[in-house]
Amino acid sequence: MDHDEAGRPGGAGARGATDRADLAPGAARHLLGDKTALGEVDPRTIDPPYDAPGYRSSTRRSPRHPLLVLPPSVAERAGPLLGEGRVGPLDHDLTRQHPGEPIGERIVVEGRLSDGDGRPIAGQLIELWQANAAGRYAHHVDDHRAPLDPNFSGTGRCVTGPDGRYRFVTIRPGEYPWGNHHNAWRPAHLHFSVFGRAFVDRLVTQMYFPGDPLFAYDPIFNSVNDPIARQAMVAAFDLRLTEPAFALGYRFDIVVGGPRPTPLEDER
Amino acid sequence: MSPIPTPSQTVGPFLAIGLVPLANADLVAPGSDGALWIEGRLLDGAGAPVPDGMLEIFQADPLGRFPPHTEAPWSGFGRCLTDAEGRFCFTTLAPGPVRLDSGELQAPHIEVLVFARGMLRPARTRWYLPGEAELALDPVLARIDEGRRASLVAFARAPARLVIDVHLQGEHETVFFGY
Ligand SMILES: [Fe+2]
């Protein structure tokens, strides 16, 4: 793999110390709390750095100054409530949004949205978008030479239930090439956008499929430095979610607002 | 044992597919009573526009309240995807002042999250409304070098018409916050 920017300073793990006095109440727990509460994951390595080695587009779009930690206020604990009334009855089923069925392998993706303490987050919005089975997005910028599917838009929405659960029915997206480096291919993934309890818990992530042979070559997946945290982006095949003679089931739990300490970037 | 937080990943170049359907940049109807227009451009470290970005805002209502303590339909939330020139614009109401937990009063401002292809995690900033006296007393601005403070204060081009650019990097890099 061609790491155009390998060796640049400021990659994952190059985060500086933080000013404890400035932490928000939640963040204090996150940062100073018992590291073992997270098993073997160092909370400082959960989110990727802005400037990630090998991910070319991050070069000019990554802030270089250290982040300033805000003192706590109600604004950090409040968040928009976007669930109710924003989602139609078929928005969660990407296979039933057109007159015909999309080509591809049907899958069910189900999981639970929770906070960093494991408490379910109910009634919040989850948005999903993805490529079709051939690895092509229904987007004018996507020029991959793979067919569009007239029966697949690749957009879904749902609202979490009282127990934080969500469920999508869709088709398995194809892997697709991109211009980051020679022979670059993204592992198959679904894009997820999630609202937590607070606006600062806002999360956009990608769900990957277990055992993808492209993991080792993907700078976006590997921008998350910690191997255990990386696995938190990989769905689990689940026979209990698999529907007989209909679709394989994958489980993807989403945790927001957990230990997410301030990534003070290295000073330069 | 606490669950492992799900790491952030980039919205990628095709964010519009998933995020346009619920994009609403008008917290109030343009031209309605008290409507405030805020526009600007999202720029990269070379000063080039970012055409595949998204800004989300969250703010108090004019009385300084957040959901669920606001009157419906005020969500305090807005979303705008950038256009080919990196432009965004929102129509909203001026937020009321909000206190820090310490009791210190902050100048009226809007919380902002910036997403884009190339950004593996969102960048968080604030837009302050112009207003010399209040800005001078703001406890957050007071902690920022004078030279960089201006990146957080919107400029009034006309009454009820504010302009602020977001620079992800470079000489004019916007001040971004951690949490
Ligand atoms: Fe993608």
Side-chain angles (χ1 to χ4, degrees):
Chain A
M1 162 178 184
D2 178 14
H3 277 284
D4 309 57
E5 294 146 44
R8 305 180 42 135
R15 295 164 177 178
T18 189
D19 180 355
R20 297 176 173 201
D22 280 333
L23 290 170
R29 170 178 58 75
H30 300 157
L31 210 100
L32 307 175
D34 179 10
K35 223 202 249 182
T36 60
L38 264 174
E40 294 155 56
V41 178
D42 179 344
R44 277 167 301 188
T45 63
I46 285 165
D47 280 334
Y50 286 112
D51 183 15
Y55 179 30
R56 268 198 358 209
S57 315
S58 72
T59 308
R60 294 230 179 265
R61 295 182 173 189
S62 42
R64 298 302 165 100
H65 285 272
L67 302 180
L68 178 71
V69 180
L70 284 176
S73 81
V74 59
E76 275 66 52
R77 294 182 293 271
L81 306 165
L82 296 173
E84 221 176 312
R86 293 185 187 243
V87 166
L90 284 181
D91 284 359
H92 74 288
D93 190 339
L94 288 76
T95 69
R96 291 164 70 194
Q97 296 171 348
H98 295 273
E101 285 193 279
I103 301 289
E105 179 196 346
R106 244 185 333 257
I107 57 172
V108 170
V109 179
E110 198 174 313
R112 189 169 164 265
L113 175 65
S114 72
D115 65 20
D117 296 319
R119 290 175 304 184
I121 298 176
Q124 270 296 27
L125 177 69
I126 299 186
E127 295 161 289
L128 174 150
W129 69 103
Q130 64 169 97
N132 68 21
R136 174 96 184 258
Y137 284 88
H139 187 289
H140 64 97
V141 168
D142 190 353
D143 57 2
H144 177 33
R145 281 183 293 115
L148 284 166
D149 184 338
N151 291 312
F152 193 71
S153 309
T155 304
R157 279 177 295 282
C158 70
V159 172
T160 57
D163 51 359
R165 289 206 173 275
Y166 73 88
R167 179 174 179 271
F168 287 105
V169 181
T170 184
I171 51 104
R172 188 183 168 113
E175 300 82 358
Y176 60 85
W178 61 310
N180 190 69
H181 54 271
H182 173 67
N183 210 9
W185 292 77
R186 294 296 329 279
H189 60 273
L190 307 177
H191 293 267
F192 271 81
S193 157
V194 169
F195 290 82
R197 288 204 176 85
F199 190 50
V200 295
D201 295 338
R202 182 89 174 84
L203 174 72
V204 172
T205 188
Q206 299 181 23
M207 184 205 99
Y208 298 91
F209 291 85
D212 198 313
L214 292 169
F215 283 159
Y217 310 100
D218 183 40
I220 294 182
F221 180 71
N222 291 298
S223 68
V224 177
N225 205 33
D226 188 295
I228 297 174
R230 273 203 298 276
Q231 287 310 307
M233 301 186 291
V234 181
F237 169 71
D238 192 331
L239 193 62
R240 288 164 300 184
L241 299 178
T242 295
E243 300 187 14
F246 180 72
L248 293 189
Y250 289 91
R251 184 178 175 94
F252 182 56
D253 292 331
I254 304 170
V255 180
V256 297
R260 203 171 275 282
T262 306
L264 285 173
E265 305 287 345
D266 53 328
E267 311 260 1
R268 57 184 105 190
Chain B
M1 189 170 115
S2 304
I4 296 165
T6 311
S8 176
Q9 296 273 269
T10 179
V11 292
F14 312 120
L15 67 164
I17 294 181
L19 299 169
V20 158
L22 293 185
N24 179 14
D26 296 331
L27 284 73
V28 294
S32 62
D33 228 18
L36 193 62
W37 170 273
I38 302 181
E39 67 179 333
R41 295 211 303 161
L42 178 60
L43 303 160
D44 73 9
V50 175
D52 41 14
M54 171 176 80
L55 283 85
E56 289 184 344
I57 64 170
F58 184 58
Q59 63 163 90
D61 72 6
L63 296 176
R65 301 173 304 186
F66 289 96
H69 309 293
T70 48
E71 279 145 45
W74 182 260
S75 71
F77 175 77
R79 171 188 286 175
C80 184
L81 278 75
T82 56
D83 70 10
E85 277 82 49
R87 276 192 301 255
F88 55 81
C89 60
F90 293 93
T91 312
T92 187
L93 296 174
V98 176
R99 282 181 196 281
L100 296 177
D101 289 359
S102 62
E104 291 169 285
L105 198 62
Q106 304 177 88
H109 65 274
I110 295 170
E111 300 276 339
V112 182
L113 286 177
V114 183
F115 301 81
R117 174 179 66 85
M119 298 182 74
L120 291 157
R121 50 190 295 154
R124 178 182 175 200
T125 185
R126 294 180 150 197
W127 293 337
Y128 282 89
L129 307 193
E132 296 284 324
E134 289 152 308
L135 292 174
L137 296 173
D138 185 83
V140 171
L141 287 177
R143 294 175 45 206
I144 300 169
D145 293 345
E146 216 169 321
R148 301 194 66 213
R149 237 177 262 168
S151 73
L152 300 179
V153 182
F155 163 78
R157 176 176 286 168
R161 215 176 164 88
L162 304 181
V163 180
I164 188 161
D165 289 339
V166 176
H167 296 262
L168 292 175
Q169 197 190 79
E171 196 190 340
H172 303 293
E173 183 176 314
T174 296
V175 173
F176 295 109
F177 297 97
Y179 41 87

